[in-house]
Amino acid sequence: MPVNNILDLTSLNLRLQKRGQAAEDAAVLAINKAATFSVKESIEEIASIVQLKKSYINRHISIPFRARKGSLRAIIQTNERATLLSRFPFQKSSKGVRASVNVGAGMRLLPKSFVLPNLKGSGATGIGFRNVDALAFYESKGFGSSILGGRKLSKLRNKAANKPRGIEIEHRRSINQLFDSVRVNIQPRLQSLLRREFINDYERLSI
């Protein structure tokens, strides 16, 4: 499911209109440049912390709505769906699959996990466990220490009890979650660019 992140200067609309058409036109240009900048920088920042291909990240961040006259906002849309572990580097072994998620981290063994080709609905490759093995893995890692981890463990216990041979597909953070984690790093540069581009375009259009 896509999530919208809005770059909005609507509150300045009346003030800009009082300064003439050049001010509104400059704001439209500045917002759209800032939206493009935000997407490009987000892709770079995400790729610097997790081992996802930039092309994959790019496919899941878009700008479906850009600023225009009368609407001083742009929407950056990100994918909320969790990312398949198989999108990251992985290797099969006799003991299970080894995968590496974070940049600089080594391959981590997921004991008794296996590769699943042609996942139903998407045709993608996945990495999974039998439910009973998934439960054992996460319990061994102390995964229930957080509220979110406790919920996951509770679900896995129910699955393992009711369908121990069922399959649990492994996922990691969604592109939306990753975008949220890096946006604080981008914000100062984004605000600086927005101000600079508005001033430059306003001066140019006012001549």
Side-chain angles (χ1 to χ4, degrees):
M1 181 178 179
V3 175
N4 294 333
N5 303 274
I6 301 174
L7 184 60
D8 197 341
L9 293 183
T10 303
S11 60
L12 299 179
N13 203 24
L14 289 177
R15 291 170 59 186
L16 291 171
Q17 286 177 359
K18 290 178 181 178
R19 299 181 69 174
Q21 188 60 51
E24 186 179 7
D25 290 346
V28 168
L29 291 170
I31 291 169
N32 288 335
K33 290 174 186 176
T36 299
F37 175 86
S38 181
V39 169
K40 289 182 177 179
E41 289 296 299
S42 296
I43 292 170
E44 292 295 329
E45 289 277 342
I46 291 171
S48 75
I49 60 172
V50 295
Q51 299 189 66
L52 286 172
K53 293 180 179 179
K54 291 180 183 179
S55 59
Y56 175 82
I57 303 168
N58 185 56
R59 288 199 303 272
H60 295 283
I61 303 179
S62 61
I63 309 173
F65 186 92
R66 289 183 175 272
R68 59 178 183 266
K69 184 178 179 181
S71 182
L72 298 182
R73 67 172 191 162
I75 295 176
I76 299 172
Q77 197 171 79
T78 54
N79 195 332
E80 191 181 31
R81 183 177 296 175
T83 306
L84 287 167
L85 180 58
S86 55
R87 300 292 184 188
F88 300 88
F90 70 89
Q91 299 172 348
K92 293 188 288 185
S93 76
S94 59
K95 295 182 179 180
V97 178
R98 296 179 183 274
S100 181
V101 174
N102 296 323
V103 170
M107 289 283 181
R108 179 186 181 188
L109 176 66
L110 287 75
K112 299 184 180 180
S113 62
F114 47 89
V115 175
L116 297 101
N118 300 318
L119 292 177
K120 185 178 180 181
S122 68
T125 296
I127 296 171
F129 290 100
R130 296 295 179 186
N131 287 335
V132 66
D133 296 325
L135 177 61
F137 173 74
Y138 283 105
E139 284 184 331
S140 72
K141 298 298 180 182
F143 196 70
S145 58
S146 67
I147 294 175
L148 186 61
R151 289 174 182 167
K152 182 176 179 68
L153 271 184
S154 179
K155 290 180 180 179
L156 281 174
R157 287 185 181 119
N158 287 333
K159 289 181 178 181
N162 297 318
K163 198 173 181 181
R165 300 291 294 171
I167 295 174
E168 175 73 11
I169 305 297
E170 286 295 295
H171 295 82
R172 294 298 181 264
R173 285 186 291 173
S174 69
I175 295 298
N176 181 63
Q177 289 172 317
L178 291 164
F179 179 85
D180 283 344
S181 73
V182 302
R183 66 192 306 175
V184 65
N185 299 333
I186 298 167
Q187 200 64 27
R189 303 197 299 273
L190 179 64
Q191 293 299 328
S192 177
L193 177 135
L194 188 59
R195 288 192 297 269
R196 183 175 67 252
E197 292 298 329
F198 172 75
I199 291 170
N200 290 342
D201 285 325
Y202 179 62
E203 290 178 349
R204 177 175 57 82
L205 294 169
S206 296
I207 297 173

